[in-house]
Amino acid sequence: MIDDIRRIAAAASDRIAAAGTIEELSTLDRELLGKTSELTGFKRQMGGLDPDDRRTVGAALNEAREGLQAAVAARRQELEAIAAKQRAAAERLDLTEVRAGRDAGHLHLITQSFEELEDIFVGLGFTVAEGPEVDDDWHNFTALNFGKHHPARDMQDTFFVDLGEPREVVMRTHTSPVQVRVMESQVPPIYSVMPGRVYRNEATDATHLAVFHQLECLVVDEGITFGHLASTIDRFTKAYFGPGYNTRLRPAYFPFTEPSAEFDVQRPDGSWLELGGCGMVHPNVLSNCGIDPEVHTGFAFGFGVDRLAATRYGVTDLRELTSPDVRFLEQF
Ligand code: PHE
């Protein structure tokens, strides 16, 4: 009996080593070690043996089972490694395939969104202005009516750059410093949008990124009112999302606008998305930039482009937007 057990175990072990797929191995596992296997059959016959034989046969059976179980586990590991390698090979990107004249990739969703938004605003008569991502305290804060110790500075979770005086150079926390640059260098009427990347020192999660994108809009002219602000926001959101989307304004506070509001966009299913801030440019900001607030008034609004695009395309985790995974990128 013991010889039979060893012979069967040896044959079984060869078949396990030869299993070509994980499915084949699972079938073998059941056939060789399951309830109806030959080895299990010996167990049933053991009842008819005398106690000494029962002990030696039992030991041989256990040894055979354990050996085969180990062989199955080892082969499973090998087959999984092979499968993983094949998967990696199948998903491999050959970047040398990129050749001139071939359709090689496309712009990132955020870049596409900026281009589309710029087109919308250019169509409404705006120009596009850009500014530096590393800026000074004056442009990011002070000119925007944030006093030296203004508590609203803390709301901006700033990354400081180790350059010049302490806290003098910052990664811009919003695109509003570009407003300041435009007002300092141009005379009204000003109708401009400022797209760009901004930085906040905060933890990232599905709805927050430490590096994200804003588009800001600035108008300075004679006779500009809050009505112009509200209608411009409504106009651009309908142009971007479609006529089924509505907007609302809620009172808020920003040092650089007065009055200030936050604006939300209502999706066709009725739910609201908090999108950005807005308001009438504060007279102090106009004066700081060399514009006479007795002659000119203006409005500004700014919003997160990542959230805007994520909402339109159903991206539920903003962190996906920083992913290099082509399976994500190819969808847009
Ligand atoms: N700069 C503000 C922010 O990022 C948004 C804003 C822009 C608010 C323009 C009002 C006017 O928080």
Side-chain angles (χ1 to χ4, degrees), residues 183 187-191 218-225 228 280-281 286 291-299:
M183 287 189 281
V187 291
I190 294 169
Y191 290 81
L218 172 70
V219 168
V220 183
D221 204 344
E222 288 176 36
I224 297 297
T225 68
H228 295 126
M280 301 306 290
V281 181
L286 294 172
I291 294 173
D292 184 353
E294 297 295 331
V295 179
H296 292 104
T297 50
F299 71 73

Side-chain angles (χ1 to χ4, degrees), residues 178-199:
V178 189
Q179 278 187 40
V180 176
R181 290 177 180 278
V182 168
M183 287 189 281
E184 282 174 336
S185 61
Q186 295 172 29
V187 291
I190 294 169
Y191 290 81
S192 280
V193 291
M194 300 85 180
R197 189 182 290 134
V198 300
Y199 301 81

